[in-house]
């Protein structure tokens, strides 16, 4: 189980200024953090009941929304000693309602509709939170409760038609509350309002940039690692590649990267990615272990068992290869921020566990210390750091690809013949997307080989061959996804090419399901 461990944040003490976000379990908490980071201000999310006491680097605090009502018996109650009245404070939605109820005001169930778009009919432009905001601006509301009465020292600074206390300021303190959500796209001036808070009121400079992150991280990595050696498993994906480039910049060839061919990669992937890594100047070792994986998977058709076998063999292969390297004390991993944020669940605080950690257990087995240079970053920030490190587009712009690779895109047992069939069909689809100019607008694309034979005709003969599925989705983080609305002519062309050129396939279908309720992968 991975939780937020400040001591593991290699850069923690090098961050000069930051915003703390106290999480009450809202689905939008991460979005607040992403918006603050878009403003080039560093911030961290902590559970409302477990956060480090603010040191000098903390410039302000944001209280998130929540699925709870402040009137619920078990509603989250933060300890704001040392914060409220001492540091700039902004309560959003539940956060604003908490600041009202806990200090003598009243929050009641709302009898008008307070969900969706609304307009601020009045706004106090003199208030520093609303600098540059004019009446009429659209905001997004999402709450069942409303502030019915504010404590005496609270001054109302914004109202909508239905919500009198859409925003308030606490007199004599640098504390504000807003019942709408500035972080969602539908609040048109949301970024300005957040900018007014973090930059204007809290006084943060816009110093959190990819370049500053690179500089700070390289410095920290050098301090942390000293003269030791580091090993890292490259997957061909963006995260591990950016982690490798950062370490390469910090310690050069004392980083040994290992890229394993598990026999489950796309057509020509192993050779072309290895070549790209070498061109980037990485000290990389390629290991062809495809036979071990394909052997290990023989006759196995349960998806989770396939994943476990692949994870186990990967650990064995990686361990064997890494132990050939001298003086290694560290294992580097491409863990990113959403994997480590401890989230507050509706049923009480608990840690989220990322479901796709296929190679857990590696550090323990190898007795190595773990270094995670991307532990502070969201996915889009990883890409921007990659850009700042001049990572070639062929790596930076790649679609995500699952660790267990094509094995989970062959429904049922995996054989070398099926892998060949799938590889050919997949190459036609992916190349087609690139040539047609669709690759960058699709978030992830896949071909799935079904264990289904269907009848067909070729020439005068009947065939009885396999069906494949084309899957292409748009998404921002893979948590939700929609199927890509690719043109029919394009799909027709790909279908023709696959049926004409890939032996054993006589039917192609396109998956038009979104996530949820479907998932991106079929297994
Ligand atoms: P699903 O199918 O859950 O996939 O909608 C969401 C994202 O996760 C990837 N995925 C995996 N990645 N190991 C991985 O490293 C896995 O076992 C695994 N299963 C799914 C999937 O490709 C998509 O990007």
């Amino acid at each position: 189980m991975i939780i937020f461990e400040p001591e593991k944040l290699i850069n923690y003490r090098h961050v000069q200024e930051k915003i703390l976000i106290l999480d009450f379990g809202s689905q939008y908490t991460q979005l607040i953090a992403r918006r603050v980071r878009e403003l080039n201000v560093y911030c961290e999310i902590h559970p409302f009941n477990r956060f480090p006491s603010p040191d000098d680097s903390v410039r302000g605090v944001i209280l998130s929304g929540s699925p709870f009502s402040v009137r619920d018996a078990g509603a989250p109650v933060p300890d704001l000693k040392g914060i409220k009245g001492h540091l700039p404070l902004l309560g959003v939605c539940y956060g604003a309602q908490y600041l009202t109820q806990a200090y003598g005001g009243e929050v009641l169930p709302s009898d008008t509709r307070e969900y969706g778009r609304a307009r601020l009919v009045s706004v106090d432009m003199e208030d520093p939170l609303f600098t540059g905001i004019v009446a009429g601006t659209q905001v997004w509301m999402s709450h069942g409760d409303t502030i019915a009465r504010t404590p005496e020292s609270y001054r109302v600074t914004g109202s909508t038609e239905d919500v009198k206390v859409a925003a308030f300021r606490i007199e004599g303190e640098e504390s504000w509350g807003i019942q709408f959500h500035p972080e969602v796209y539908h609040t048109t001036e949301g970024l300005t309002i957040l900018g007014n808070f973090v930059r204007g009121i809290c006084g943060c400079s816009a110093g959190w940039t990819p370049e500053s992150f690179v500089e700070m991280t390289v410095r920290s990595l050098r301090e942390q690692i000293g003269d030791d050696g580091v090993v890292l498993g490259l997957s061909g994906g963006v995260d591990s590649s950016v982690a490798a480039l950062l370490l390469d910049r910090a310690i050069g060839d004392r980083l040994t990267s290992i890229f394993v061919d598990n026999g489950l990669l796309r057509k020509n992937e192993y050779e072309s990615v290895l070549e790209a890594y070498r061109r980037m100047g990485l000290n990389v070792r390629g290991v062809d272990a495809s036979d071990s994986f394909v052997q290990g998977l023989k006759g196995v058709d349960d998806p989770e068992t396939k994943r476990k076998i692949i994870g186990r063999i990967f650990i064995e292969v990686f361990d064997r290869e890494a132990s050939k390297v001298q003086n290694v004390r560290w294992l580097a991993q491409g863990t990113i921020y959403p994997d480590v944020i401890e989230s507050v669940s509706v049923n009480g605080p608990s840690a989220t566990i990322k479901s796709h950690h296929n190679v857990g257990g590696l550090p323990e087995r190898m007795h190595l210390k773990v270094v995670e240079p991307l532990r502070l970053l969201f996915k889009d920030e990883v890409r921007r750091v990659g850009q700042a490190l001049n990572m070639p587009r062929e790596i930076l712009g790649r679609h995500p690809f699952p660790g267990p690779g094509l094995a989970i895109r062959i429904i049922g047992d995996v054989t070398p013949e099926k892998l060949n069939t799938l590889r050919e069909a997949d190459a036609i689809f992916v190349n087609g997307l690139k040539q047609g100019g669709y690759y960058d607008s699709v978030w992830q694309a896949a071909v799935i080989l079904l264990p289904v034979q269907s009848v067909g005709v070729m020439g005068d003969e009947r065939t009885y061959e396999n069906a494949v599925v084309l899957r292409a989705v748009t998404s921002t983080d893979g948590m939700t996804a929609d199927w890509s609305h690719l043109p029919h002519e394009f799909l027709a062309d790909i279908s023709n090419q696959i049926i004409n050129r890939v032996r054993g396939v006589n039917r192609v279908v396109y998956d038009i399901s979104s996530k949820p309720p479907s998932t991106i992968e079929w297994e």
Side-chain angles (χ1 to χ4, degrees), residues 21 33 78 81 107 220 229 277 317 320 340 356 427 456 464 470 475 486 492:
I21 300 171
K81 245 191 343 281
V107 174
S220 305
Y277 283 141
V317 171
R320 203 178 319 127
V340 295
H356 298 318
Y464 201 58
L470 307 182
S475 177
L486 292 168

Side-chain angles (χ1 to χ4, degrees), residues 49-217:
N49 55 354
R50 272 192 305 283
F51 57 90
S53 56
D55 61 16
D56 286 351
S57 63
V58 176
R59 300 284 191 264
V61 177
I62 298 178
L63 307 179
S64 83
S66 177
F68 287 94
S69 155
V70 287
R71 295 172 301 101
D72 291 343
V77 175
D79 178 1
L80 296 181
K81 245 191 343 281
I83 293 181
K84 187 173 168 296
H86 300 274
L87 283 168
L89 178 64
L90 174 65
V92 172
C93 195
Y94 178 95
Q97 293 168 352
Y98 174 77
L99 288 178
T100 303
Q101 150 127 348
Y103 297 91
E106 196 174 15
V107 174
L108 293 173
S110 160
D111 53 11
T112 54
R113 181 174 167 275
E114 292 188 12
Y115 182 81
R117 291 181 181 81
R119 291 194 182 276
L120 287 184
V121 290
S122 76
V123 51
D124 179 358
M125 285 180 64
E126 301 291 306
D127 188 285
L129 191 65
F130 290 136
T131 304
I133 307 294
V134 290
T137 189
Q138 176 177 297
V139 296
W140 181 261
M141 297 281 184
S142 171
H143 44 91
D145 283 348
T146 196
I147 297 175
R149 184 175 50 77
T150 52
E152 256 181 23
S153 58
Y154 288 35
R155 184 165 53 81
V156 176
T157 53
S159 310
T160 70
E161 194 96 323
D162 295 323
V163 183
K164 184 171 173 296
V165 191
F168 62 76
R169 165 149 196 197
I170 306 180
E171 304 275 15
E173 289 178 16
E174 289 204 295
S175 301
W176 286 260
I178 46 183
Q179 286 208 83
F180 58 87
H181 286 272
E183 68 278 16
V184 306
Y185 171 76
H186 305 286
T187 297
T188 335
E189 307 281 355
L191 204 59
T192 309
I193 295 170
L194 284 173
N196 286 341
F197 182 69
V198 299
R199 292 220 200 131
I201 294 167
C202 302
C204 293
S205 59
W208 177 255
T209 59
E211 292 73 19
S212 72
F213 173 83
V214 170
E215 196 196 306
M216 179 179 80
T217 306

Side-chain angles (χ1 to χ4, degrees), residues 303-304 307 354-358 399-405 408-409 443-444 446 471 473 477-481 515 518-523:
E304 289 313 306
R307 282 184 166 87
K354 196 185 177 204
S355 46
H356 298 318
H357 275 291
N358 306 106
H399 288 174
F401 187 69
I408 55 165
R409 294 182 178 168
W443 190 79
Q444 187 171 18
R471 180 85 164 129
V473 296
D477 50 13
M479 302 298 286
T480 60
K515 172 182 179 176
S518 301
T519 48
I520 296 174
E521 304 291 346
W522 275 48
E523 280 199 336

Side-chain angles (χ1 to χ4, degrees), residues 305-319:
T305 314
K306 285 192 214 172
R307 282 184 166 87
K308 288 209 176 81
I309 292 170
I310 295 165
R312 177 178 52 74
I313 299 176
F314 178 84
I315 289 176
E316 286 164 12
V317 171
F318 187 87
D319 189 13

